[in-house]
Amino acid sequence: MAARKGRRRTCETGEPMEAESGDTSSEGPAQVYLPGRGPPLREGEELVMDEEAYVLYHRAQTGAPCLSFDIVRDHLGDNRTELPLTLYLCAGTQAESAQSNRLMILRMHNLHGTKPPPSEGSDEEEEEDEEDEEERKPQLELAMLPHYGGINRVRVSWLGEEPVAGVWSEKGQVEVCALRRLLQVVEDPQALAAFLRDEQAQMKPIFSFAGHMGEGFALDWSPRVPGRLLTGDCQKNIHLWTPTDGGSWHVDQRPFVGHTRSVEDLQWSPTENTVFASCSADASIRIWDIRAAPSKACMLTTATAHEGDVNVISWSRREPFLLSGGDDGALKIWDLRQFKSGSPVATFKQHVAPVTSVEWHPQDSGVFAASGADHQITQWDLAVERDPEAGDVEADPGLADLPQQLLFVHQGETELKELHWHPQCPGLLVSTALSGFTVFRTISV
């Protein structure tokens, strides 16, 4: 069983990882395991999860793996912490054959917290525990649409009362799909069965754009102007979508010009209607303003933001900060008031492989999470400084090499692709990987 355990936040959250030996004859105390640092696991050793480091932890699989997903905002209320939780995801598969792919709505519910360790008791107590275990089983319902071609990226937005998904296909087109019907039937098993039998095959995208010269990954809905969309492709082009009165879109055929290689990610400004950021395999990050002509819209550039591809960016909704992750494994924070300097205000190096996803916490301005191709999810807090009196460094000198702001290292997934904080459930993280979906909340955030 894979271990995933939190790091101390001034002596509050425990150690990062523990390795336990399978050889009970020479068993010693559990040791801290630091990915990419210190000795590798020896033969007979395994990583063991410390459930006390998690408030909630669940895993789910959907058949073919999903490269991308988004969390669907729901009507169940904000700041939800009471368990069990319910949440809705929209995801797209990367199946072995183009015909086998699906766009899906996942309804995960009855998500309880981690259980305390069992205590020795009577047979009657054991029966009660079994009944309790049955009641606590997490539930998953899926409503799916057939999709020809693997889905590279999915982003969800609400257009008034209508939920829609922007979908980047590996076949080179971008589609907008209505989600209302899927969200309705996923609540009712009978309605879902009737939908799969009678409606599923007939449902089509409400809009499709095939003007990109090839496939892409970058896609972002404006948080300030409903329906406004940006899409970027592997041929270095970015296109602006403007909603029209008839429930359709006008896509500007003139691409934004500036990048020299694949556009990897796009982020609208959370405070300005016309400003967005992009990052690219050309190692640069650029800031744009759509009020200018596409050929002149690039306002600011950091030409060498990372040593190699810049894979992902996240624009803070609470501070003038842009977070980036690259093939170099580095996480960098850029103060947009000083972006012209070309220097980040902070650089963190914990991942030992390309960073695949980054996202600021939606409520806590100094907290963010990242995932990497090294099978790690890391949680960070810019406000944390190591307590010199805590004694954790003396207890394990390996901790001295860790960045002070590193709160938690989560492991156990294979080929992590994307993560998101739930905007309505504080501290809840959802990730997708080759190994499936994981929903968890740590004691650190």
Side-chain angles (χ1 to χ4, degrees):
M1 182 168 65
R4 318 156 189 94
K5 191 174 179 185
R7 177 178 178 262
R8 291 186 186 276
R9 178 197 265 181
T10 60
C11 278
E12 290 177 8
T13 68
E15 308 293 341
M17 298 288 160
E18 292 180 353
E20 292 192 357
S21 171
D23 181 5
T24 54
S25 62
S26 59
E27 195 171 275
Q31 296 176 322
V32 173
Y33 175 72
L34 300 172
R37 301 168 188 262
L41 290 179
R42 296 190 297 270
E43 187 176 349
E45 284 186 325
E46 62 178 1
L47 294 176
V48 179
M49 176 181 174
D50 177 7
E51 294 196 7
E52 293 180 8
Y54 291 81
V55 177
L56 176 145
Y57 175 86
H58 295 282
R59 302 183 76 167
Q61 290 187 323
T62 56
C66 296
L67 186 62
S68 180
F69 75 100
D70 204 0
I71 294 170
V72 183
R73 287 193 71 100
D74 54 52
H75 301 296
L76 301 178
D78 293 335
N79 298 311
R80 304 202 299 268
T81 56
E82 187 175 340
L83 301 175
L85 290 174
T86 296
L87 55 97
Y88 300 84
L89 309 180
C90 181
T93 62
Q94 284 272 334
E96 289 187 8
S97 68
Q99 294 86 352
S100 301
N101 285 289
R102 301 288 184 268
L103 179 69
M104 303 182 290
I105 287 289
L106 294 76
R107 177 177 175 243
M108 297 179 173
H109 57 109
N110 205 38
L111 303 183
H112 286 267
T114 51
K115 288 188 69 174
S119 56
E120 295 182 13
S122 63
D123 291 343
E124 191 174 314
E125 286 177 337
E126 287 180 11
E127 287 179 14
E128 288 178 1
D129 285 344
E130 288 177 8
E131 291 175 11
D132 183 47
E133 196 71 37
E134 191 65 31
E135 290 177 1
R136 292 170 60 95
K137 277 188 176 178
Q139 303 296 320
L140 171 65
E141 274 82 47
L142 296 172
M144 299 182 284
L145 295 177
H147 185 274
Y148 183 71
I151 294 174
N152 292 345
R153 188 143 307 168
V154 175
R155 291 292 180 265
V156 173
S157 186
W158 285 82
L159 306 184
E161 290 298 309
E162 293 301 318
V164 296
V167 179
W168 240 126
S169 169
E170 67 176 2
K171 297 301 181 184
Q173 74 268 17
V174 183
E175 299 143 340
V176 179
C177 300
L179 300 179
R180 173 175 291 279
R181 187 65 181 138
L182 294 177
L183 287 166
Q184 288 172 341
V185 302
V186 81
E187 300 282 353
D188 181 347
Q190 288 183 319
L192 181 57
F195 169 80
L196 295 176
R197 183 183 66 243
D198 303 328
E199 300 176 55
Q200 181 193 52
Q202 280 72 47
M203 291 194 69
K204 305 296 181 188
I206 58 177
F207 188 82
S208 183
F209 174 64
H212 283 282
M213 302 305 292
E215 70 174 319
F217 294 83
L219 183 153
D220 195 38
W221 293 100
S222 169
R224 297 180 58 83
V225 182
R228 184 176 281 175
L229 179 67
L230 285 167
T231 54
D233 60 38
C234 296
Q235 308 294 321
K236 72 188 180 185
N237 294 320
I238 302 169
H239 288 277
L240 173 66
W241 300 42
T242 303
T244 61
D245 292 338
S248 186
W249 280 263
H250 168 73
V251 185
D252 195 332
Q253 300 291 334
R254 302 168 301 164
F256 291 95
V257 175
H259 286 299
T260 58
R261 294 183 63 195
S262 172
V263 178
E264 298 294 291
D265 204 3
L266 291 161
Q267 284 275 282
W268 283 103
S269 165
T271 58
E272 297 180 80
N273 290 0
T274 62
V275 176
F276 71 91
S278 64
C279 66
S280 168
D282 64 15
S284 74
I285 297 174
R286 294 173 181 264
I287 309 295
W288 311 72
D289 192 324
I290 65 171
R291 289 174 295 186
S295 61
K296 301 176 181 177
C298 183
M299 301 300 168
L300 297 169
T301 302
T302 292
T304 311
H306 284 258
E307 296 176 10
D309 298 16
V310 188
N311 297 327
V312 283
I313 50 175
S314 177
W315 198 318
S316 171
R317 302 204 170 200
R318 299 185 173 270
E319 302 288 345
F321 292 158
L322 195 68
L323 170 65
S324 65
D327 267 3
D328 54 5
L331 298 165
K332 297 189 179 186
I333 295 170
W334 307 85
D335 187 331
L336 293 164
R337 296 164 298 190
Q338 306 170 21
F339 194 72
K340 285 182 181 178
S341 72
S343 299
V345 293
T347 300
F348 301 112
K349 195 72 166 68
Q350 166 66 19
H351 290 276
V352 293
V355 175
T356 58
S357 188
V358 293
E359 191 167 283
W360 289 102
H361 191 291
Q363 288 90 24
D364 194 332
S365 61
V367 173
F368 64 89
S371 66
D374 54 2
H375 319 305
Q376 296 185 62
I377 290 175
T378 52
Q379 293 180 338
W380 304 77
D381 188 346
L382 301 180
V384 169
E385 293 182 2
R386 184 173 287 121
D387 183 350
E389 299 178 3
D392 55 349
V393 174
E394 288 79 3
D396 193 315
L399 297 182
D401 294 333
L402 293 176
Q404 295 182 42
Q405 294 79 8
L406 178 62
L407 288 183
F408 200 99
V409 177
H410 169 90
Q411 293 183 94
E413 321 306 330
T414 304
E415 292 190 32
L416 281 155
K417 298 301 182 184
E418 197 169 277
L419 58 76
H420 296 292
W421 298 98
H422 198 296
Q424 297 168 279
C425 302
L428 191 73
L429 262 179
V430 186
S431 67
T432 185
L434 184 64
S435 49
F437 286 93
T438 305
V439 181
F440 66 94
R441 183 179 178 187
T442 72
I443 58 176
S444 298
V445 178

